[in-house]
Amino acid sequence: MRDTKETILSAACDIYLQHGYKGMSMRQVARRAGISATAIYRHFENKESLHHQVLREGFRTFNSYLQSSLSDNTGLERLKHASERFFAFATEQKKYYEILFLTMDHTVEHKVKGALTQDATISRHFMVQRVQECMEEGSLKSDDAEEVAMLLLSTCNGFFGLYVSKKASDTHEEMHKKYQRMFHRLLVGLLT
């Protein structure tokens, strides 16, 4: 049986995606989670702390996907593997992908005094480090590592956004092949 806190987080994700932060209430989340309205407060102080935890859990999950790419031998292998892990996250953790990359309400982040800023920048720093490694080993042209990482992340995110918004539709396998070809085309332009 799922942990109550996980059930609450999942319910909060669903409601957030349907109604946004402003349309989410603790009562709705409790109802969707199958617990009493008062029971939810045993786990979360208020709506802001629940939303904050949804975001933190999403960032933690995304980071765990990316970390597995560090076991590869070269910078280029790690970069390619990281792109595959991004694909896995976007397709296996659809709710978190959509919340973190497409619908995140940054006004709420401000309300929690920037506590999410570090979590929110982990993936960007991770990709900058992978690109920098590639440039140092000579597998990518020397360039501004941060700008190249942003190009890669933006392109990948745009790709997934097309599928989430239903502007593109393919089977999972077809989508994966297109994603790999797109990422390969980007790399060809960046290779030395």
Side-chain angles (χ1 to χ4, degrees):
M1 187 170 167
R2 286 177 71 182
D3 174 80
T4 303
K5 199 168 186 177
E6 284 180 39
T7 303
I8 293 169
L9 289 172
S10 179
C13 284
D14 291 340
I15 292 169
Y16 180 84
L17 288 171
Q18 288 176 346
H19 305 290
Y21 175 76
K22 291 181 178 141
M24 183 175 81
S25 74
M26 295 293 271
R27 187 173 303 281
Q28 287 173 316
V29 174
R31 191 175 318 127
R32 172 95 35 118
I35 62 173
S36 72
T38 55
I40 197 170
Y41 290 98
R42 288 187 203 122
H43 301 278
F44 299 98
E45 181 182 341
N46 53 35
K47 175 177 152 176
E48 288 79 19
S49 66
L50 172 57
H51 183 252
H52 182 177
Q53 190 58 43
V54 165
L55 295 175
R56 293 209 73 186
E57 187 61 23
F59 287 125
R60 186 200 63 73
T61 302
F62 184 45
N63 188 46
S64 72
Y65 270 73
L66 293 176
Q67 290 301 314
S68 67
S69 67
L70 294 176
S71 61
D72 291 300
N73 295 321
T74 69
L76 188 57
E77 288 171 356
R78 287 188 287 275
L79 181 62
K80 288 178 180 179
H81 191 176
S83 80
E84 284 296 313
R85 298 308 295 150
F86 193 175
F87 181 89
F89 174 77
T91 57
E92 294 169 11
Q93 304 290 333
K94 292 177 185 178
K95 288 180 191 176
Y96 281 135
Y97 168 75
E98 193 170 342
I99 288 170
L100 297 182
F101 291 96
L102 300 178
T103 64
M104 191 164 112
D105 184 344
H106 295 283
T107 62
V108 176
E109 180 185 342
H110 179 69
K111 288 181 184 175
V112 292
K113 297 177 178 57
L116 295 171
T117 302
Q118 184 176 358
D119 293 335
T121 58
I122 287 174
S123 60
R124 184 173 56 82
H125 291 305
F126 182 91
M127 288 302 286
V128 170
Q129 290 170 342
R130 302 297 69 80
V131 168
Q132 187 66 49
E133 287 175 345
C134 290
M135 290 176 183
E136 288 170 4
E137 74 184 14
S139 56
L140 291 184
K141 295 174 191 170
S142 184
D143 201 335
D144 183 306
E146 181 149 352
E147 289 181 11
V148 171
M150 293 300 283
L151 168 69
L152 295 172
L153 283 169
S154 299
T155 304
C156 294
N157 192 41
F159 179 87
F160 298 126
L162 290 172
Y163 283 91
V164 170
S165 66
K166 308 285 190 242
K167 291 180 176 76
S169 62
D170 288 304
T171 66
H172 181 82
E173 185 178 316
E174 291 168 331
M175 178 182 168
H176 191 204
K177 286 179 181 175
K178 282 183 181 179
Y179 176 80
Q180 288 174 321
R181 288 192 302 269
M182 176 209 62
F183 196 80
H184 175 75
R185 285 184 189 106
L186 279 172
L187 286 183
V188 166
L190 298 168
L191 294 172
T192 58

